[in-house]
Amino acid sequence: MERYTIIVRGQLDQRWAQRLQGLTITSLPDGTTRLRGTLSDQAALHGVLASIRDLGLPLLLVQRHAPADVADTDEVAP
């Protein structure tokens, strides 16, 4: 299990959470959406990325968090 933050350009609402492996969906004021949560493996990550592609949303960031970097903050670690 790995924890990820994914940012896309565009807005998604909560109805997409199940299709996106249950990731937490947060709309940001700059017109982007942050997806955050734990994925079981690389196949799950690729499934989420494929769903984002299928929705036509530009992918801005994919970040895997180290175990010590799992605090829920609004900032993405460098």
Side-chain angles (χ1 to χ4, degrees):
M1 302 276 278
E2 298 284 343
R3 188 161 171 83
Y4 289 91
T5 295
I6 300 170
I7 298 180
V8 298
R9 183 173 298 128
Q11 299 290 312
L12 288 173
D13 59 38
Q14 293 301 316
R15 67 186 169 129
W16 294 103
Q18 185 174 2
R19 184 171 176 184
L20 298 171
Q21 302 286 324
L23 295 174
T24 300
I25 298 172
T26 305
S27 295
L28 301 174
D30 64 356
T32 62
T33 299
R34 182 180 58 220
L35 310 170
R36 182 179 281 166
T38 302
L39 298 172
S40 58
D41 54 25
Q42 286 288 304
L45 173 61
H46 284 275
V48 168
L49 296 176
S51 292
I52 289 168
R53 178 203 61 215
D54 293 348
L55 290 168
L57 298 172
L59 183 63
L60 302 177
L61 173 85
V62 176
Q63 182 177 28
R64 182 182 61 83
H65 297 280
D69 189 25
V70 295
D72 279 332
T73 65
D74 287 337
E75 296 196 26
V76 176

